[in-house]
Amino acid sequence: KSKADKKGQFLFYNNSISEQVKRKMNIESELICAIEKHQLSVNYQPQIRVSDEKLVSVEALIRWQHPQLGCIYPDEFISIAEETGIINELGLFVFKKACEDIYALSPNGKEALKLSVNISPVQLLEPDFGPLLLDICHEVGIDPERITLELTENIFIHRLDIVQPLLSKLRQLGFALSLDDFGTGYSSLSYINSLPLTEIKIDRSFINKFLEFYQSDMLVRMIIEIGRLCGLLVVAEGVETKEQFKKLLSYGCHRVQGYYFDRPLTIEKLSEKIILSQPETGSSTYLREE
Ligand code: C2E
Ligand code: MG
Ligand code: MG
Ligand code: MG
């Protein structure tokens, strides 16, 4: 290649890096006022109980609609929010909004809809995090026992002797605890035994290939079996087909979540869905959009 070509490549490479840096800096500064500008919202993805195909719970998922940049997904901005510390404010915003929405939709009681909220390890390490959440629950009127906090395995980057008592405190306040994206990170069998978890969520990357690959199939079966033996609720995320659902049923998975049932919905769409699937209207099982 000629010198000119190489130079061109170098410039192109340089440009794309600086574009990425620019976007990141842009997102970083825009995120600071995204809450005040009402650009953030919360969507809810149904979780279906496998035994009777009932919608029993929802996971709250943050969405950011920026007037110029369009819809920005959490995979891009959560890590930035963690680096800058905005995640604390952002996390409380999601938690409060979700509590309000779900309580308005379904009051406390035995059949009440459950709610899962993703929690960043940064939030977990914030002093008084648990009491802050409890205050919000009291303010809204929602029973904390209806709420599952989803943590990812990267909490184990932090010392287990620090994480363990923090999780125990959250359990004592009534919150259930889920280990999200299970199997992808630092999962060790000793962790699920020594941490006060109530649930594990099998990562989507296993679910989307377990019908084709024996390795993944074996892992999915093993995770479900171990989860059940430890007395944990086992949830599979990213279920996209009927075949996947049937197989998970046969393996004894407790709950499923994924596009086969629903994408994350606005609170209005979720509300419609729930009204339509109420027993009085005659359809007791889950209404799937096909
Ligand atoms: P997650 O907690 O593992 O959430 C599941 C992600 O998988 C969601 O992506 C969801 O839309 C997507 N998903 C669900 N079912 C399917 C399916 O059948 N197929 C496929 N391909 N995808 C499916 P989303 O909403 O983009 O969120 C990505 C991640 O961002 C979440 O992963 C979570 O780690 C994080 N996140 C989202 N909202 C929050 C939040 O409020 N706080 C924190 N700390 N993290 C959040
Ligand atoms: Mg999650
Ligand atoms: Mg997950
Ligand atoms: Mg994930």
Side-chain angles (χ1 to χ4, degrees):
K1 268 178 188 159
S2 76
K3 219 175 177 180
D5 277 352
K6 271 190 196 149
K7 196 177 170 198
Q9 272 173 6
F10 180 71
L11 279 177
F12 178 72
Y13 179 71
N14 241 358
N15 268 342
S16 70
I17 291 284
S18 78
E19 283 306 314
Q20 282 172 30
V21 172
K22 248 193 252 159
R23 180 169 167 97
K24 193 179 163 186
M25 281 170 61
N26 202 0
I27 284 179
E28 200 175 299
S29 65
E30 291 292 297
L31 197 51
I32 295 172
C33 46
I35 299 178
E36 282 91 85
K37 288 185 179 163
H38 304 286
Q39 293 168 358
L40 298 179
S41 59
V42 183
N43 280 0
Y44 302 93
Q45 188 176 34
Q47 289 187 351
I48 284 57
R49 184 162 58 201
V50 172
S51 60
D52 56 5
E53 292 187 44
K54 280 219 165 79
L55 194 172
V56 288
S57 186
V58 293
E59 176 178 13
L61 294 160
I62 193 168
R63 292 292 176 262
W64 181 12
Q65 190 64 43
H66 187 277
Q68 280 86 45
L69 300 171
C71 182
I72 307 165
Y73 281 89
D75 279 332
E76 184 171 10
F77 69 80
I78 290 293
S79 61
I80 297 175
E82 287 174 336
E83 283 165 30
T84 58
I86 295 168
I87 191 70
N88 289 315
E89 194 188 339
L90 193 146
L92 289 179
F93 164 81
V94 172
F95 187 82
K96 182 155 191 254
K97 182 78 171 72
C99 286
E100 288 169 348
D101 280 352
I102 297 311
Y103 183 70
L105 195 60
S106 161
N108 294 329
K110 209 167 155 276
E111 295 283 286
L113 191 65
K114 300 279 200 294
L115 168 68
S116 292
V117 182
N118 293 287
I119 299 296
S120 154
V122 176
Q123 293 175 272
L124 188 70
L125 297 171
E126 188 189 18
D128 281 333
F129 174 60
L132 271 171
L133 297 188
L134 196 66
D135 282 349
I136 293 174
C137 290
H138 288 157
E139 209 180 299
V140 173
I142 195 168
D143 186 348
E145 312 218 330
R146 290 173 63 180
I147 301 171
T148 300
L149 307 176
E150 292 193 4
L151 298 143
T152 52
E153 288 177 307
N154 59 14
I155 52 165
F156 300 133
I157 292 171
H158 303 283
R159 281 165 43 195
L160 208 60
D161 60 335
I162 296 173
V163 169
Q164 157 95 52
L166 292 174
L167 296 184
S168 295
K169 254 187 234 153
L170 292 172
R171 280 294 296 134
Q172 279 160 25
L173 298 177
F175 299 109
L177 297 176
S178 174
L179 198 50
D180 202 351
D181 306 333
F182 190 80
T184 55
Y186 296 79
S187 55
S188 144
L189 294 184
S190 66
Y191 289 149
I192 48 173
N193 235 351
S194 60
L195 292 172
L197 301 169
T198 56
E199 174 186 299
I200 50 177
K201 255 182 123 167
I202 311 171
D203 192 66
R204 200 168 78 211
S205 61
F206 300 111
I207 302 304
N208 68 30
K209 55 177 191 254
F210 86 116
L211 292 182
E212 290 104 283
F213 296 99
Y214 178 71
Q215 290 275 3
S216 308
D217 180 75
M218 204 173 59
L219 258 160
V220 168
R221 283 167 79 161
M222 194 189 78
I223 293 172
I224 293 172
E225 207 53 42
I226 289 172
R228 292 185 65 107
L229 288 170
C230 293
L232 301 170
L233 194 70
V234 185
V235 183
E237 67 175 16
V239 177
E240 294 184 353
T241 67
K242 189 177 188 167
E243 291 67 37
Q244 290 170 342
F245 172 70
K246 287 223 163 130
K247 196 111 192 216
L248 289 164
L249 167 74
S250 76
Y251 288 170
C253 187
H254 297 114
R255 287 188 193 171
V256 289
Q257 179 183 341
Y259 296 171
Y260 174 56
F261 294 94
D262 270 302
R263 293 188 172 245
L265 307 169
T266 61
I267 186 63
E268 291 80 17
K269 280 264 154 50
L270 176 70
S271 169
E272 272 171 39
K273 185 128 227 166
I274 285 176
I275 291 164
L276 284 173
S277 61
Q278 229 111 72
E280 302 89 77
T281 63
S283 65
S284 59
T285 51
Y286 194 66
L287 292 167
R288 214 161 18 248
E289 280 160 36
E290 292 194 296

